Structures are given as structure tokens and as C-alpha cells.
């Protein structure tokens, strides 16, 4: 068996070597740049990064935006996933298409759509003013709120689909058994449906958080240069400041965060999986 | 848990289902369904798949809403009460144990749903697990249990809340034959001791005969007959019930002569006599239970060529060559190897033992 499994493993070789050359090697060279000053091994770039209060505020904003985006996406995605898991035939197709199709529209297009909605004389402000809710336009574009709403929208499918997949597989008899044992709908959700959906929630949050922490186009278009995120800072370092060491350092920090998210979530998913 | 009360056979209408109808996507599953069960009775809904037995069970449990009609339990209308307010426990075919909880947590679920603190459930959970002899498994994951153990846990989980009614949907079908028979005896004793009113849904006639006080045989959304197992077997109300409950010799024929309470019927194997009066020319189906058929001449006698002789241990089955739709079957007690396929044998039985039904009813 082991021999056979090992030989099947050989099938991954082309993919792995492709990744090694195209992805891992340049990444390694990039990481190397962050710990090398004039050919000497040094953490000076990291020390410099973390002693600059502006960098820290960008780091904090990036984390905050990613967390809030993940949270908002989860709140919107969970009910959607429940409805999709119960949908059949035509309506299920409608939901799946509605989830997948927007992914084929570029992020740029979607972010621009949000600017149309959010700008000073945009759809939202015009509506609010014509309804008499506000007299003057509210500043929405270039705010963190707009960024979080826009990002949650773009990343929604990555939250909905894993949760949907888990809920869909759940035995529909389980909530029924719970009901027959006297559990109210709320008790049923809290003690059966939600705990059983946790692996999907963990996966969805890991996807969304990883995407949100490294997003570049959406913040560039919705909030612009004034409120930097780590990705924007990285791009600036490479493209404008021509400071490769700084860019490499920020990239490494981003990568570290992403790796810890992936490891934590896979650990959590394993634990939850083992419980079942 | 509940003190024993005298058992009755449906007179008290403890569970009273009246004129219930249900359609799925315009296709009627049942209409005008009436079904009454007495307190402490063990009843089976027996029928082929698609006959509506599971739908009726789900309507009683509150998991499916009826389109019309009423369900009363102990004189209280529960037709529109949600499942969680009915105090009716359900044991599902797949057992539907919660995979993220341990055996003890599964059993405690109903108590916790009723607002008991986790710590207060201990003694009752221990008692319920002892009842189904699963005390040693309290801390196990349910996925680590065998089918029989899962069923015991499902029963303990259902009984711990003192339900007013227990519903079991094909509870034994996931078990192998030997275990199934053991579990049937075990469960029946358990429910009897607690004077539990229970309804089993099953397509297995042996199971229904084994566990029930009364059996409702269902076909195409209707109850064809609701009677004790012996009554069902000895006096089936229709050819469908006769076929569904037990084996029988079964012939199609035409009434050629009918006097008062005795008809002469022409079949493909010769004329036979049956009780009852019919208009000559009526197409009928006649049946005889195989153990009432003897291998000697009697009031009705047929000469039969054997297709097979099966020695089954406690009995030997003789299968005669018959036309499509007919069945010639005789059971002789014990192991009997006197017969071989191709032998010509006499099948004989009495008129009084002959069941007769108009074809198509």
C-alpha cells in the first residue's frame, strides 16, 4: 500500500516543480532580501519597520480591516449558506450562479462599481438626500467602512461556499431529531447546526482573512493613498521608493501572518473534524 | 419516569388522527386518513415503500405539516403545534445521533433542551444508559459505536425525556438479521415495562408481527386493515393484506357457480370451492395460508407438479409450478426430504380455510 501511495505521490511532481521554480524560489530570494544588509545577515530592517509608528498604524489598520471584513462577510454569508443548503433545483442554480459569476468580473470593475455607489454624488447619497434623510452628502468613499463593505462583497463567495458545502452534507435528520427532543429553533441552531458547520466557518474565515489582509486593488480604488495598507506599502516600497529591503520585509510580515492563519485554521479544522 | 397505566386497544383514542390529507407537489400521498392508537399500545404502520407510512409518522411527530385533518393526543389538538412542543420522541432509521457529541451528551440532549443544567443531567443519563445497557460507553464518540449500540443510544435519548409517544421509523432496518431479532425482543420488553405508547414504521412484516399489539397495513395512502397480528394473518381484509402479511397459496379464477355462502371457482389447476356468495362470472383471487395446505386430499384438492422443495429447518416448503401471478405453496412441519422437484403431489385444504377476494378490490 505504502509503495503504491508513494508512486501515486509522484503524480504531484510536475506541479510541485512548477511551483518550486515559479513561486518558491523567487519567494525565498525575496525573504532573503529582508534579512540581508550588504551581504550580512541582519534583522535591522524588521527593527526599523517596527520602530516606525506610521508602519505600526498601517499594520494595525490592515489587521483591523481584514478582521472586520471577515466578520462582516461571515454575518452575510452564514444565512445565505443556510438558504442555499436548503434550496433545490432552479433556486439552487440561481444562488450558485449568483455566487460564482461575480468572480469572473474583475476586482477592478467591482471596486469601481462601489465607487459609483459611495461617491459624494453617488447612488447612495442621492437616494439619502432625495429621501430627506440627510441634507448634505455623507462622506462614504475613502472611508474604512466603505473599504470593509466593498471587500466583504468581493470576498463573499469564499465565505459562502465552504459553509454551504458543510451544511449541505449535514444529515437533515439531525435538526429534526433535536426538534423531536424538545429543542427550540434557537437551541437547535446553537447546539446542532452551528457546531456542525464550524469546519466550514473556519475554512471560510481563513480564505477571507488571507484575501483581505493582502488585498491591494480594492483599498487602492476605494480609499486611495491616504490610508495605506501593508500591500499598498509593499507596492510603494518597490515601485516608488525603490526600497527593496523594506518591500521584502513587509512582504515577509504579510506572509508570516498568512501562514499563521492557515496553520491555526487547519489545526482548528482538524480538531473540529476529530470531534465528529 | 411515568407510572404504568392500564393498556387499551384504541378505545380511548389516546392518539387520534382524523381525516388527515397530505400532497407533495400536487401528488396526493394520503387523504382522509383516520388512525387511532390506545394508551400503552405498540402499533406498527406496515406497508411497501411509498405507501405514506413515513409521511403519517412525520405528521404525528410534527416534522411534516398536514394539508388537512386533525391530530389529537390525549384529547389535546396538536395539529399545528411545532415538533419541539409535542413531547413526541422519534427514533430515526439512521438513528440521527449528534456526531459532535459523546454518547452521554447525546442522551442528555433532550434534558438540556428543556433547560436542565448540564451538571443536573448526570443521574438521569446514567439511568437511561443503564436501561439500554450502554453505561460503559458514556464517554465514547457515537461514530465509534456499532449499529446496535447506536440504536440503543437513540432509544435512550428518546426515552429520557418521558415522551408521551414514541415514534420509530424503520428502527431495525440498518441491523443485520440476528441482531435485529435480539433488538426487537429487547426493545419490546423495554417499552412494555414502561407502558410506552409507540408507533413503529416498517416494511418488514416479521418485524411488525413481532413487536406490535396491532398492525395497520397501508397501501397507497390508505389503511387497508388495522388489526392484531393474528387477525391480520388469519383473516386478511384484502388480497393486498394477504400478500403483504405472510405467504400464501394464491390462485386467480372465475366464479362459475355460487350458492348460499359457497362458491365454485374455476382456476387454471381445476375447480376449487370457497366460502362466500358471488355473482357467477366474477373474477376472484383465492388464497390459503401454506401451513393449512396438506399433502393429501381434502375439500379442495389440486394435483401439483413441484418446482422446488426447500428444507428450511423447522419447516419444509413445497413450491408448485404455477402460472404468472399465481402461487402454489405448501408448508409441512420439520425437515422432510421425501419431495423432489418434478414430483407430482396432492395439495388439499378445507373450504373454511379458503380466503377469497374479488379481483381488483
Amino acid at each position: 500500500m505504502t509503495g503504491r501511495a508513494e508512486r501515486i505521490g509522484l503524480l504531484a511532481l510536475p506541479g510541485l516543480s512548477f511551483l518550486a521554480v515559479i513561486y518558491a524560489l523567487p519567494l525565498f530570494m525575496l525573504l532573503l532580501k529582508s534579512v540581508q544588509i550588504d551581504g550580512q545577515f541582519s534583522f535591522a530592517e524588521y527593527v526599523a519597520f517596527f520602530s516606525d509608528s506610521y508602519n505600526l498604524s498601517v499594520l494595525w489598520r490592515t489587521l483591523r480591516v481584514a478582521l472586520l471584513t471577515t466578520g462582516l462577510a461571515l454575518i452575510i454569508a452564514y444565512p445565505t449558506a443556510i438558504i442555499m443548503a436548503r434550496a433545490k433545483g432552479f433556486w439552487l442554480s440561481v444562488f450558485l450562479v449568483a455566487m460564482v459569476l461575480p468572480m469572473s468580473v474583475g476586482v477592478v470593475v467591482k471596486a469601481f462599481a462601489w465607487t459609483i455607489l459611495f461617491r459624494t454624488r453617488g447612488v447612495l447619497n442621492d437616494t439619502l438626500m432625495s429621501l430627506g434623510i440627510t441634507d448634505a452628502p455623507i462622506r462614504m468613499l475613502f472611508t474604512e467602512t466603505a473599504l470593509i463593505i466593498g471587500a466583504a462583497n468581493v470576498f463573499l463567495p469564499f465565505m459562502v461556499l465552504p459553509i454551504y458545502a458543510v451544511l449541505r452534507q449535514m444529515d437533515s435528520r439531525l435538526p429534526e431529531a433535536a426538534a423531536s427532543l424538545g429543542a427550540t429553533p434557537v437551541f437547535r441552531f446553537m447546539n446542532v447546526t452551528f457546531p456542525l458547520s464550524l469546519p466550514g466557518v473556519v475554512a471560510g474565515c481563513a480564505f477571507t482573512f488571507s484575501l483581505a489582509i493582502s488585498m491591494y486593488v480594492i483599498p487602492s480604488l476605494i480609499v486611495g493613498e491616504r490610508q495605506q495598507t501593508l500591500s499598498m506599502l509593499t507596492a510603494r516600497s518597490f515601485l516608488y521608493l525603490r526600497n527593496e529591503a523594506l518591500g521584502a520585509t513587509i512582504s515577509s510580515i504579510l506572509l508570516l501572518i498568512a501562514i499563521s492563519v492557515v496553520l491555526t485554521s487547519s489545526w482548528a479544522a482538524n480538531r473540529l473534524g476529530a470531534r465528529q | 419516569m411515568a407510572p404504568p397505566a392500564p393498556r387499551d386497544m384504541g378505545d380511548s383514542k389516546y392518539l387520534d388522527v382524523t381525516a388527515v390529507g397530505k400532497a407533495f407537489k400536487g401528488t396526493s400521498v394520503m387523504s382522509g386518513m383516520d388512525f387511532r392508537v390506545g394508551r400503552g399500545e405498540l402499533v406498527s404502520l406496515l406497508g411497501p415503500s411509498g405507501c405514506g407510512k413515513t409521511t403519517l409518522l412525520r405528521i404525528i411527530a410534527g416534522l411534516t405539516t398536514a394539508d388537512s385533518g386533525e391530530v389529537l393526543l390525549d384529547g389535546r389538538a396538536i395539529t399545528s403545534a411545532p415538533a419541539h412542543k409535542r413531547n413526541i420522541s422519534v427514533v430515526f432509521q439512521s438513528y440521527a445521533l449528534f456526531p459532535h457529541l459523546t454518547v452521554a451528551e447525546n442522551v442528555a440532549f433532550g434534558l438540556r433542551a428543556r433547560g436542565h443544567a448540564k451538571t443536573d443531567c448526570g443521574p438521569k443519563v446514567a439511568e437511561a444508559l443503564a436501561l439500554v445497557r450502554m453505561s460503559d460507553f458514556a464517554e465514547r464518540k457515537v461514530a465509534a459505536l456499532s449499529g446496535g449500540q447506536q440504536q440503543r443510544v437513540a432509544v435512550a435519548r428518546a426515552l429520557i425525556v418521558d415522551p408521551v409517544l414514541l415514534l420509530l421509523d424503520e428502527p431495525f432496518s440498518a441491523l443485520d438479521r440476528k441482531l435485529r431479532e435480539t433488538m426487537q425482543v429487547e426493545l419490546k420488553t423495554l417499552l412494555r415495562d414502561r407502558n410506552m405508547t409507540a408507533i413503529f414504521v416498517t416494511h418488514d412484516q416479521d418485524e411488525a408481527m413481532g413487536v406490535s399489539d396491532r398492525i395497520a397495513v397501508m397501501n397507497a395512502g390508505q389503511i387497508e386493515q388495522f388489526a392484531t397480528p393474528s387477525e391480520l394473518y388469519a383473516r386478511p381484509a384484502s388480497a393486498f393484506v394477504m400478500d403483504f402479511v405472510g405467504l400464501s397459496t394464491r390462485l386467480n379464477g372465475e366464479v362459475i357457480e355460487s350458492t348460499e355462502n359457497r362458491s365454485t371457482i374455476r382456476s387454471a389447476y381445476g375447480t376449487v370451492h370457497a366460502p362466500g356468495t358471488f355473482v357467477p362470472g366474477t373474477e376472484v383471487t383465492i388464497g390459503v395460508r401454506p401451513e393449512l395446505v396438506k399433502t393429501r386430499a381434502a375439500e379442495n384438492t389440486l394435483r401439483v407438479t413441484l418446482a422446488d422443495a426447500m428444507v428450511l429447518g423447522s419447516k419444509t416448503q413445497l413450491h408448485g409450478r404455477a402460472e404468472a401471478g399465481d402461487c402454489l405453496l405448501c408448508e409441512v412441519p420439520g425437515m422432510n426430504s421425501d419431495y423432489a422437484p418434478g414430483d407430482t403431489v396432492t395439495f388439499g385444504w378445507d373450504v373454511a380455510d379458503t380466503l377469497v377476494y374479488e379481483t381488483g378490490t
Side-chain angles (χ1 to χ4, degrees):
Chain A
M1 276 308 281
T2 324
R4 192 182 153 75
E6 276 166 7
R7 269 182 287 130
I8 284 176
L10 290 178
L11 289 173
L13 214 56
L16 284 178
S17 26
F18 178 80
L19 282 177
V21 175
I22 300 297
Y23 181 69
L25 192 64
L27 191 69
F28 177 72
M29 286 158 65
L30 184 77
L31 293 184
L32 210 59
K33 277 200 179 118
S34 74
V35 288
Q36 260 183 344
I37 297 173
D38 305 329
Q40 295 293 308
F41 181 80
S42 157
F43 279 116
E45 280 296 336
Y46 288 88
V47 175
F49 178 87
F50 283 110
S51 17
D52 186 333
S53 66
Y54 177 72
N55 289 341
L56 289 179
S57 75
V58 172
L59 174 63
W60 167 232
R61 179 184 305 125
T62 308
L63 284 171
R64 186 175 61 219
V65 166
L67 271 174
L68 290 173
T69 300
T70 309
L72 179 63
L74 179 60
I75 290 168
I76 302 170
Y78 204 96
T80 314
I82 287 185
I83 291 167
M84 280 175 67
R86 290 180 187 174
K88 280 183 201 136
F90 173 73
W91 285 110
L92 179 60
S93 312
V94 169
F95 273 111
L96 282 174
V97 169
M99 278 298 133
V100 177
L101 205 60
M103 291 206 267
S104 66
V105 178
V107 176
V108 180
V109 177
K110 268 189 282 195
F112 266 124
W114 279 101
T115 63
I116 293 169
L117 208 60
F118 281 135
R119 69 187 169 204
T120 317
R121 298 291 321 194
V123 178
L124 260 178
N125 267 320
D126 280 354
T127 312
L128 288 176
M129 283 192 293
S130 66
L131 288 173
I133 295 171
T134 56
D135 297 330
I138 301 172
R139 193 183 130 98
M140 284 186 273
L141 201 59
F142 307 120
T143 64
E144 206 174 286
T145 314
L147 173 58
I148 291 162
I149 293 173
N153 165 258
V154 173
F155 301 140
L156 199 60
F158 297 97
M159 186 66 95
V160 173
L161 293 175
I163 301 175
Y164 158 73
V166 171
L167 286 176
R168 188 83 182 176
Q169 280 176 13
M170 203 179 84
D171 182 359
S172 63
R173 298 276 178 272
L174 295 176
E176 288 184 348
S180 81
L181 291 166
T184 60
V186 173
F187 190 91
R188 243 143 52 205
F189 178 78
M190 296 307 292
N191 291 278
V192 179
T193 311
F194 186 69
L196 287 173
S197 71
L198 276 177
V201 171
V202 168
C205 286
F207 280 141
T208 311
F209 187 83
S210 310
L211 289 166
I213 202 152
S214 59
M215 63 185 172
Y216 173 69
V217 177
I218 305 168
S220 305
L221 291 172
I222 294 184
V223 286
E225 289 292 307
R226 262 176 294 179
Q227 294 188 32
Q228 297 269 331
T229 63
L230 282 184
S231 304
M232 290 161 81
L233 212 55
T234 312
R236 238 167 99 92
S237 317
F238 281 118
L239 300 174
Y240 302 116
L241 307 176
R242 301 274 167 199
N243 185 345
E244 288 196 344
L246 178 61
T249 306
I250 306 172
S251 307
S252 309
I253 292 165
L254 263 179
L255 188 69
L256 212 68
I257 296 172
I259 289 174
S260 47
V261 167
V262 169
L263 289 181
T264 312
S265 62
S266 71
W267 171 80
N270 271 336
R271 257 188 75 91
L272 292 167
R275 287 198 63 187
Q276 290 161 32
Chain B
M1 302 185 193
R7 196 149 45 87
D8 73 56
M9 301 289 270
D11 304 327
S12 76
K13 299 183 194 172
Y14 179 66
L15 172 73
D16 187 354
V17 175
T18 308
V20 160
K22 179 71 189 175
F24 287 111
K25 289 184 179 169
T27 311
S28 174
V29 179
M30 63 180 65
S31 60
M33 169 63 68
D34 293 323
F35 178 58
R36 279 174 197 96
V37 177
R39 189 192 295 272
E41 228 187 336
L42 304 182
V43 164
S44 284
L45 294 171
L46 174 67
S49 53
C51 72
K53 57 193 193 296
T54 295
T55 303
L56 180 57
L57 187 91
R58 291 178 60 87
I59 288 172
I60 295 168
L63 300 172
T64 298
T65 24
D67 296 338
S68 56
E70 249 199 310
V71 181
L72 277 80
L73 190 67
D74 211 4
R76 192 165 50 97
I78 57 165
T79 319
S80 52
H84 65 271
K85 289 190 178 153
R86 295 192 181 194
N87 197 17
I88 295 174
S89 287
V90 183
V91 173
F92 290 93
Q93 185 170 10
S94 58
Y95 311 131
L97 298 178
F98 304 120
H100 58 302
L101 302 178
T102 63
V103 167
E105 286 168 337
N106 262 281
V107 174
F109 191 91
L111 296 178
R112 295 219 300 108
R114 281 162 174 73
H116 295 260
K118 226 172 203 171
T119 42
D120 296 348
C121 303
K124 277 199 112 178
V125 170
E127 188 195 340
L129 283 174
L131 200 66
V132 294
R133 297 188 283 109
M134 284 294 288
S135 303
D136 296 343
F137 297 84
E139 297 313 317
R140 296 274 183 99
K141 291 282 162 202
V142 292
L145 302 180
S146 70
Q149 291 168 338
Q150 289 193 22
Q151 198 208 32
R152 289 204 180 102
V153 175
V155 168
R157 184 178 72 171
L159 289 179
I160 198 169
V161 296
D162 278 330
V164 290
L165 180 63
L166 180 66
L167 305 178
L168 304 101
D169 187 4
E170 306 267 5
F172 305 105
S173 65
L175 307 177
D176 62 61
R177 195 196 162 110
K178 259 202 161 141
L179 185 59
R180 187 160 40 190
E181 282 166 7
T182 322
M183 292 302 289
Q184 280 169 14
V185 175
E186 212 172 272
L187 188 57
K188 188 178 178 180
T189 314
L190 184 68
L191 296 179
R192 274 266 181 282
D193 289 349
R194 304 168 64 80
N195 199 47
M196 183 60 61
T197 312
I199 302 173
F200 293 80
V201 155
T202 177
H203 64 269
D204 182 324
Q205 50 122 348
D206 290 329
E207 183 180 314
M209 305 274 271
V211 295
S212 338
D213 297 317
R214 284 195 302 158
I215 300 171
V217 180
M218 286 185 71
N219 182 29
Q222 297 292 324
I223 292 179
E224 295 247 341
Q225 190 174 5
F226 192 11
T228 60
S230 51
E231 170 98 12
L232 274 186
Y233 188 77
R235 284 185 293 278
S238 66
F240 176 84
V241 176
M242 178 186 79
D243 282 340
F244 207 81
V245 180
L247 299 166
S248 54
T249 280
R250 185 189 200 280
L251 308 172
N252 290 302
E254 184 190 338
V255 177
I256 50 172
E257 197 190 343
S258 196
T259 59
E260 194 174 329
N261 216 19
R262 189 178 170 103
S263 299
T264 307
I265 294 143
R266 183 171 54 217
S267 78
Y269 319 89
T271 54
V272 290
H273 303 286
T277 314
F278 293 91
V279 178
T282 310
E283 300 280 329
V284 292
T285 300
I286 67 159
V288 200
R289 292 305 186 187
E291 68 281 6
L292 300 174
V293 178
K294 309 292 177 201
T295 50
R296 53 175 161 70
E299 288 173 341
N300 281 318
T301 304
L302 296 181
R303 294 290 290 164
V304 172
T305 308
L306 291 186
D308 200 2
M310 291 158 62
V311 180
L312 300 175
S314 61
K315 63 193 175 192
T316 301
Q317 274 183 352
L318 306 178
H319 292 263
R321 277 192 199 139
E323 293 183 5
D326 290 348
C327 178
L328 294 167
L329 182 63
C330 167
E331 273 177 13
V332 293
M335 291 191 279
N336 193 322
S337 46
D338 298 345
Y339 303 98
D343 289 358
T344 303
V345 184
T346 302
F347 277 13
W349 69 90
D350 289 342
V351 172
D353 293 332
T354 312
L355 306 164
V356 57
Y357 308 96
E358 262 186 61
T359 305
T361 57

